[in-house]
């Protein structure tokens, strides 16, 4: 059976918004057609009329399903280092369970998320991903700031990658402060050979920049507490991003996540580098951890591929892309929904290489369809809700 849905607006993401438009969907979720208002071809069909805006299924560009068990366990707004220390100690005292990950997966599906770029440190989430209706791409995240441990850490990562087979997965560095040059070299070689995309947490705290610029700040104490000797590390006289980007093969698609302390100089550095860089924002997690947002406006005038992620339930109260969009629009009133919907859909699909199927409402794709309610024209409101249609 073919279903016809019309709404105040349809936002296809790759074409202009359709006011009072209609979309036809086949039984398998395939888009069969998009029709403007008063289309003659719709005269004899039953159209379900809805109030709100129909958008493609959401692509969550950053999550850690395996951290779902840390929901509501870590105090808010204490900064990144305090957050990481909490994760380290809670990992020892609490046990991850399949139930909480299944619940998080279900929550994402109900909130209209159809694909997730998920960061994993272990195999815990595999079974959930295998049985989920959501498309998962797993980024196996490696951590080792000590150069002499790089080889072992990379080998363990390669073993984990094999365990995730046949699911889509690749190996990536965790963050500039937790990956040595040597580890970057191994990962760079792997990505160069496989063509896999790279994703890395970037500039989530000002201390990360301080570490790279001057070898100062809170990270020095942090390493000391962990018993890690960083005598080998020399101050780089520039922000972390400018030091690590050259360590990634130039042709590799790279997604930088968070960017809370990225400066205009850093942005110009990336522009000059001629790389395919995607910036991913996780605004609710940024407020949860650092109580600060990236300077979003700085990024939007340069034709960058921008995406949005929820991060995990360790640093967020829900896994909901609409909540992330609400936070963005509340704090940056100049943003247009026609723009941010692309961040939450097609741009993430492009980064993951799944845009033939997902990310926009186009004939032949099976992108999933969401209705955003409580809208005004092409604007969402604090009361807006997401309802999964397909
Ligand atoms: Zn993360």
């Amino acid at each position: 059976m073919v279903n016809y849905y019309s709404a105040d607006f349809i936002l296809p993401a790759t074409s202009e918004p359709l006011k009072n438009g209609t979309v036809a969907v086949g039984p398998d979720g395939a888009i069969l057609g998009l029709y403007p208002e008063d289309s003659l071809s719709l005269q004899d069909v039953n159209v379900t009329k809805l109030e709100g805006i129909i958008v493609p299924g959401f692509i969550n560009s950053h999550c850690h399903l395996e951290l779902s068990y840390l929901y509501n366990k870590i105090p808010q707004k204490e900064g990144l280092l305090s957050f990481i220390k909490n994760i380290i100690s809670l990992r020892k005292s609490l046990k991850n369970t399949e139930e909480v990950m299944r619940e998080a997966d279900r929550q994402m599906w109900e909130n209209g998320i159809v694909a997730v770029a998920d960061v994993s440190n272990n195999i815990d989430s595999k079974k959930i991903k295998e049985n989920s209706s959501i498309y998962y791409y797993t980024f196996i995240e490696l951590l080792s700031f000590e150069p002499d441990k790089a080889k072992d850490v990379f080998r363990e990562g390669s073993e984990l990658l094999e365990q995730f087979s046949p699911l889509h997965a690749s190996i990536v560095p965790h963050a500039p402060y937790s990956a040595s040059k040597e580890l970057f070299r191994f990962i760079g070689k792997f990505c160069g050979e496989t063509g896999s995309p790279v994703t890395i947490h970037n500039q989530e705290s000002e201390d990360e920049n301080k570490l790279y610029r001057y070898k100062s700040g809170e990270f020095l104490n942090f390493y000391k507490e962990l018993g890690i000797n960083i005598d080998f590390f020399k101050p780089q006289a520039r922000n972390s991003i400018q030091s690590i980007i050259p360590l990634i093969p130039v042709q590799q698609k790279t997604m930088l996540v968070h960017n809370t302390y990225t400066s205009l100089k850093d942005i110009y550095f990336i522009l000059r580098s001629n790389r395919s860089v995607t910036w991913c924002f996780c605004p609710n997690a940024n407020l949860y951890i650092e109580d600060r947002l990236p300077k979003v406006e700085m990024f939007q005038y340069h034709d960058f591929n921008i995406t949005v992620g929820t991060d995990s339930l360790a640093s967020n109260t829900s896994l909901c892309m609409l909540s992330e969009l609400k936070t963005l629009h509340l704090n940056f009133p100049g943003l247009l929904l026609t723009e941010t919907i692309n961040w939450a859909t097609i741009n993430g699909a492009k980064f993951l290489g799944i845009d033939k199927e997902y990310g926009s409402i186009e004939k032949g794709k099976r992108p999933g369809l969401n209705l955003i309610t409580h809208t005004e024209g092409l604007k969402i409101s604090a009361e807006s809700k997401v309802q999964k249609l397909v």
Side-chain angles (χ1 to χ4, degrees):
M1 197 180 102
V2 179
N3 282 310
Y4 294 86
Y5 298 104
S6 89
D8 301 330
F9 278 97
I10 295 177
L11 278 188
T14 42
S15 54
E16 290 300 306
L18 279 179
K19 192 166 192 249
N20 297 318
T22 300
V23 55
V25 199
D28 61 347
I31 304 298
L32 303 175
L34 261 176
Y35 307 91
E37 191 174 9
D38 300 326
S39 173
L40 282 176
S41 40
L42 291 177
Q43 270 180 348
D44 299 319
V45 299
N46 221 340
V47 178
T48 308
K49 289 203 170 8
L50 302 162
E51 275 178 26
I53 304 175
I54 293 176
V55 301
F58 291 126
I59 312 294
N60 183 357
S61 284
H62 187 72
C63 188
H64 306 246
L65 195 59
E66 68 188 25
L67 295 182
S68 302
Y69 72 110
L70 297 179
Y71 170 66
N72 222 355
K73 294 282 188 293
I74 302 178
Q76 299 194 21
K77 306 186 195 303
E78 291 191 346
L80 181 67
L81 275 150
S82 165
F83 180 81
I84 299 170
K85 284 178 198 170
N86 271 307
I87 294 242
I88 294 172
S89 76
L90 287 168
R91 266 185 171 157
K92 288 177 195 150
S93 60
L94 293 173
K95 250 189 99 58
N96 196 1
T97 68
E98 258 174 33
E99 284 89 275
V100 289
M101 285 186 281
R102 194 171 298 117
E103 169 58 23
D105 173 74
R106 191 196 56 80
Q107 188 188 123
M108 285 199 271
W109 181 249
E110 278 183 4
N111 286 334
I113 293 167
V114 292
V116 180
D118 191 68
V119 177
S120 298
N121 284 275
N122 56 53
I123 196 70
D124 289 357
S125 60
K126 184 183 179 188
K127 212 162 133 197
I128 305 298
K129 289 169 177 169
E130 264 178 333
N131 294 307
S132 175
S133 304
I134 295 176
Y135 172 96
Y136 281 95
Y137 190 107
T138 299
F139 290 102
I140 292 164
E141 164 185 87
L142 303 188
L143 293 95
S144 159
F145 202 50
E146 293 158 290
D148 53 354
K149 299 219 167 115
K151 204 174 186 175
D152 289 342
V153 167
F154 183 77
R155 196 183 47 241
E156 283 161 23
S158 309
E159 284 163 15
L160 188 53
L161 179 72
E162 249 170 57
Q163 290 176 43
F164 264 101
S165 172
L167 301 181
H168 302 276
S170 64
I171 302 179
V172 296
H174 165 252
Y177 58 81
S178 59
S180 64
K181 269 187 188 173
E182 287 69 14
L183 187 62
F184 269 105
R185 209 167 292 140
F186 282 115
I187 295 173
K189 191 164 178 288
F190 163 83
C191 291
E193 284 163 3
T194 56
S196 316
V198 180
T199 175
I200 182 167
H201 296 83
N202 178 57
Q203 293 172 300
E204 205 175 343
S205 84
E206 184 54 23
D207 284 300
E208 178 180 314
N209 283 331
K210 282 185 192 159
L211 173 72
Y212 269 81
R213 288 192 89 84
Y214 317 114
K215 197 179 177 180
S216 69
E218 278 302 304
F219 272 104
L220 301 191
N221 278 332
F222 176 70
Y223 291 125
K224 204 181 259 172
E225 280 171 35
L226 290 177
I228 296 172
N229 179 343
I230 62 159
D231 284 351
F232 65 89
F233 183 78
K234 302 278 173 291
Q236 308 284 308
R238 49 190 178 164
N239 280 351
S240 55
I241 186 176
Q242 300 195 29
S243 303
I244 61 108
I245 278 290
L247 304 174
I248 298 168
V250 69
Q251 73 279 9
Q252 239 49 52
K253 272 201 290 191
T254 304
M255 181 162 71
L256 302 170
V257 182
H258 292 305
N259 316 303
T260 332
Y261 294 85
T262 301
S263 70
L264 194 57
K265 266 190 174 175
D266 295 330
I267 288 177
Y268 282 116
F269 173 85
I270 293 294
L271 283 171
R272 282 197 309 274
S273 75
N274 267 329
R275 287 164 178 268
S276 164
V277 166
T278 292
W279 305 92
C280 176
F281 298 129
C282 306
N284 288 341
N286 298 150
L287 292 177
Y288 190 112
I289 297 175
E290 287 270 329
D291 197 19
R292 174 183 157 127
L293 291 170
K295 295 179 181 132
V296 170
E297 287 118 331
M298 257 178 8
F299 296 84
Q300 64 179 128
Y301 304 112
H302 301 285
D303 278 343
F304 283 128
N305 198 49
I306 295 175
T307 62
V308 177
T310 60
D311 214 340
S312 75
L313 285 173
S315 60
N316 207 336
T317 52
S318 67
L319 302 177
C320 173
M321 294 289 281
L322 179 63
S323 301
E324 304 297 326
L325 294 184
K326 282 185 192 176
T327 301
L328 284 172
H329 284 278
L330 183 70
N331 288 280
F332 305 99
L335 289 177
L336 299 173
L337 187 66
T338 45
E339 193 171 19
T340 56
I341 279 296
N342 286 21
W343 300 1
T345 60
I346 187 68
N347 291 4
K350 278 185 188 161
F351 178 76
L352 290 176
I354 54 170
D355 50 315
K356 276 205 171 78
E357 179 93 351
Y358 295 97
S360 62
I361 306 174
E362 284 181 80
K363 213 171 164 177
K365 285 193 181 185
R366 296 195 320 137
L369 290 180
N370 296 327
L371 176 73
I372 303 180
T373 62
H374 300 83
T375 53
E376 231 189 277
L378 274 171
K379 283 189 175 146
I380 55 171
S381 70
E383 284 75 42
S384 288
K385 300 224 166 7
V386 58
Q387 185 188 323
K388 189 171 172 60
L389 294 177
V390 177

